[in-house]
Amino acid sequence: MKSLFRIYRRYIFSALWIAGVVIGVNLFVLLSVQTVIRSWDEESGLSVLRSQLNRVAAALSEDEEGKLSLGPDGEAALTEAEAQFAFLLSDDGTRIWGWNLPEGIQEHYTVGEVASFSRWYLLNYPVRVWNCEQGLLVVANSRESVAKYSVEYSRSTLQNLPFFVLAVLGANLLLILVLAVLSGYRLYEGLRPIAFGLDRLVDGRRIAVPENGIARDLARKLNQVSRILEEQRESLKRRDTARTEWISGVSHDIRTPLSMVMGYADSLENDAALLEEERREAGIIREQSLKIKTLIEDLNLTSKLEYHMQPLRVKDFMPAALLRQAVVSILNGGGQGSCELETEMDDALEPVVMRGDAALLSRALQNLIGNSIRHNPGCRILVSGRLEQKDGQSLCVLSVRDDGSGIPEQIRRILEGQRPSEPDGPHIMGLRIVSQITSAHGGQMRFSADGREVLLYLPVSRTLEAKDRKKKAWWEILWYGEGRAENG
């Protein structure tokens, strides 16, 4: 919903910006048009008043009897000016000359009449007046050629004109803002169910957005997507459930006969009446059966971890003691074979306490050590632990490193999610379980560049105080367990 409000806010700002640009362009165009019209009017007025009317006035001549007549150049000037008629008034308003006069032209005009038709019209003809030596020259154009109007403003009005313009602009901006807000709110109301539905869709829930309003097409498509995803989730859930149940059922069904095979193989291996070769073969059967049992357990565990069906038995434990206990367990069982197994512990890790499933983490360490033993016979294995600080958070780093050939890059890319696992690819179940256990504890599994070291980065819960460190030595926790160490 925050993203939707952000869109709404940007919509308002965009509307204001567009309104400002439109108003600015309108003002520029208005001023430009006024300038062009004024220039046209000035050019037209100068042409008629200064050129053509001057030519008419200059072409008027007086004969010996005092009668005025217009020469050819004057008539040509009137024709070029598209004049309908013309006449000349003396200083007392008497008409002393006329050209092409229509009916209704008086012989005498008063000062008021002259002022009236100079400003407005004469017999509905727009006229131009020109004061020359002979008198007042009056030239009329056609009735449809010129429109006359008179506008007068007081000085105070002109002084307040900028405030009026600002008031008009402010009112326009306010109107645009109100319209933008109302339009944006309508858009916001139409998109709000869509945004709410997307939030629920991200959470993996089914949605049913009302298919109405301005975004009804989007709502219809979103509901279709929701139904498709719901069907896919149900299909995946049924498939995953069937897979988990099948693995669990197979594991259960195999466990009993496999135990019998291992029991009989152990009996045959220890039967002194059998030949040495037969007893060796029985031992091989027992070892391979044990591998099958371990493989089935790994398969069952990775299936539960993948679908979050493995409950974590969460409790406080000390990772330093856990690491040593995992190494001692392998040494006591003779599982190191011809490999040399060593431990190295950072002193800063000794008082560190973690919270999680200690058994699963011990299983992860044993898987890593066992992986090095199986693939690198006779190698040197170093199991270490240290404390690191990253982005203000304390991390426990458990490491298993050997001097063997290293984990192939193909497997590392699969486990780091850089490439999908192939059906016929290498067997990586043990390492996959380690990665799943680490992820279940909020940590990460990383590899060194040469693939010889696997590092588990796990979050730290707390660190023991100095007084508790004396009471809880690592060997006490390893020997007695954490409960006995606390009770002293």
Side-chain angles (χ1 to χ4, degrees):
M1 299 300 289
K2 292 182 179 179
S3 59
L4 183 59
F5 180 75
R6 190 180 302 110
I7 293 174
Y8 179 46
R9 185 176 58 193
R10 290 181 178 176
Y11 175 83
I12 299 298
F13 289 157
S14 299
L16 289 176
W17 180 80
I18 293 173
V21 172
V22 170
I23 291 177
V25 171
N26 287 336
L27 289 176
F28 175 77
V29 172
L30 179 61
L31 294 176
S32 300
V33 170
Q34 288 181 346
T35 303
V36 172
I37 292 176
R38 188 180 296 109
S39 65
W40 289 349
D41 289 342
E42 290 178 355
E43 291 177 359
S44 177
L46 288 174
S47 175
V48 174
L49 295 176
R50 294 183 180 180
S51 178
Q52 296 173 344
L53 293 184
N54 273 332
R55 289 171 57 191
V56 173
L60 288 172
S61 60
E62 187 177 355
D63 56 14
E64 297 177 354
E65 298 178 357
K67 187 178 180 180
L68 293 173
S69 62
L70 183 64
D73 185 62
E75 291 185 359
L78 291 174
T79 302
E80 291 176 5
E82 298 181 354
Q84 300 297 311
F85 62 90
F87 60 88
L88 185 67
L89 296 178
S90 63
D91 293 340
D92 61 355
T94 302
R95 177 166 54 85
I96 58 178
W97 173 83
W99 176 81
N100 200 22
L101 298 177
E103 295 183 0
I105 300 298
Q106 303 175 181
E107 293 290 337
H108 181 82
Y109 287 95
T110 64
V111 175
E113 290 174 337
V114 172
S116 177
F117 70 66
S118 298
R119 187 173 183 180
W120 299 110
Y121 298 89
L122 176 61
L123 300 179
N124 294 329
Y125 287 95
V127 296
R128 303 282 180 86
V129 296
W130 185 255
N131 192 15
C132 57
E133 295 181 359
Q134 296 86 348
L136 185 66
L137 178 63
V138 180
V139 178
N141 295 100
S142 61
R143 292 177 176 176
E144 303 298 331
S145 62
V146 178
K148 287 190 173 185
Y149 60 93
S150 178
V151 178
E152 293 183 358
Y153 295 103
S154 64
R155 188 177 183 84
S156 61
T157 301
L158 292 177
Q159 291 176 348
N160 294 326
L161 184 61
F163 300 100
F164 295 154
V165 173
L166 292 177
V168 172
L169 292 179
N172 288 335
L173 287 176
L174 180 61
L175 178 61
I176 292 173
L177 177 61
V178 171
L179 294 178
V181 170
L182 294 178
S183 177
Y185 183 75
R186 182 168 176 264
L187 179 63
Y188 173 81
E189 285 295 320
L191 293 179
R192 187 167 64 174
I194 303 296
F196 180 74
L198 288 174
D199 291 339
R200 291 178 60 88
L201 199 62
V202 169
D203 295 336
R205 291 179 288 179
R206 186 176 182 180
I207 62 172
V209 180
E211 298 179 1
N212 52 27
I214 191 173
R216 56 181 176 273
D217 293 335
L218 290 177
R220 187 180 303 110
K221 295 294 184 182
L222 190 60
N223 289 334
Q224 292 177 0
V225 171
S226 175
R227 287 192 291 268
I228 293 174
L229 291 178
E230 183 68 20
E231 293 175 358
Q232 291 178 349
R233 282 195 295 267
E234 290 296 329
S235 177
L236 290 174
K237 185 178 179 180
R238 289 193 297 269
R239 188 193 68 180
D240 295 340
T241 301
R243 175 184 174 184
T244 304
E245 292 178 351
W246 180 82
I247 293 175
S248 178
V250 169
S251 301
H252 181 271
D253 293 341
I254 292 178
R255 188 177 294 114
T256 300
L258 188 60
S259 299
M260 295 179 63
V261 170
M262 293 176 62
Y264 283 122
D266 184 67
S267 298
L268 292 174
E269 184 182 8
N270 296 317
D271 190 352
L274 296 178
L275 298 176
E276 183 66 26
E277 181 65 21
E278 294 174 341
R279 294 171 61 185
R280 187 182 65 81
E281 293 175 352
I284 293 175
I285 294 175
R286 180 185 57 79
E287 291 177 359
Q288 297 302 318
S289 299
L290 183 59
K291 289 183 179 180
I292 294 175
K293 180 181 179 181
T294 304
L295 181 61
I296 292 174
E297 291 176 353
D298 288 347
L299 183 62
N300 197 18
L301 178 59
T302 187
S303 176
K304 291 181 178 180
L305 289 173
E306 182 176 358
Y307 302 110
H308 307 287
M309 300 178 63
Q310 173 66 33
L312 297 181
R313 296 178 291 273
V314 179
K315 65 177 182 178
D316 290 341
F317 64 92
M318 304 186 72
L322 177 72
L323 188 147
R324 292 188 177 96
Q325 188 176 11
V327 173
V328 169
S329 177
I330 293 178
L331 291 175
N332 290 339
Q336 78 277 14
S338 59
C339 295
E340 181 182 351
L341 189 57
E342 299 179 2
T343 60
E344 183 178 284
M345 194 68 57
D346 185 5
D347 292 338
L349 191 63
E350 295 290 352
V352 168
V353 177
M354 292 179 56
R355 186 165 181 80
D357 193 326
L360 281 180
L361 286 173
S362 178
R363 173 72 176 274
L365 288 173
Q366 293 179 19
N367 278 10
L368 293 177
I369 298 172
N371 187 72
S372 296
I373 295 172
R374 285 191 300 273
H375 296 285
N376 303 285
C379 69
R380 178 178 177 270
I381 304 173
L382 175 63
V383 183
S384 62
R386 64 180 183 272
L387 188 65
E388 287 188 4
Q389 298 292 330
K390 184 178 182 181
D391 298 332
Q393 182 184 11
S394 297
L395 295 177
C396 170
V397 184
L398 303 181
S399 166
V400 176
R401 181 176 183 84
D402 59 58
D403 55 2
S405 59
I407 300 174
E409 185 178 359
Q410 178 186 6
I411 296 179
R412 282 182 278 154
R413 288 186 176 182
I414 293 175
L415 291 172
E416 291 176 348
Q418 298 180 11
R419 57 176 295 177
S421 179
E422 300 175 359
D424 298 331
H427 174 66
I428 58 173
M429 185 176 297
L431 291 174
R432 188 184 298 278
I433 290 176
V434 176
S435 177
Q436 291 173 331
I437 292 175
T438 306
S439 298
H441 286 81
Q444 293 181 338
M445 183 174 72
R446 292 288 181 264
F447 301 94
S448 61
D450 57 4
R452 295 179 178 178
E453 183 179 14
V454 182
L455 302 101
L456 306 182
Y457 292 85
L458 299 166
V460 173
S461 175
R462 59 189 175 89
T463 302
L464 294 179
E465 299 294 337
K467 58 180 182 179
D468 293 331
R469 297 181 194 177
K470 297 178 181 179
K471 294 172 54 180
K472 298 182 179 180
W474 67 267
W475 57 270
E476 292 180 313
I477 297 176
L478 181 60
W479 182 261
Y480 297 106
E482 191 173 0
R484 286 285 304 275
E486 290 178 355
N487 296 330

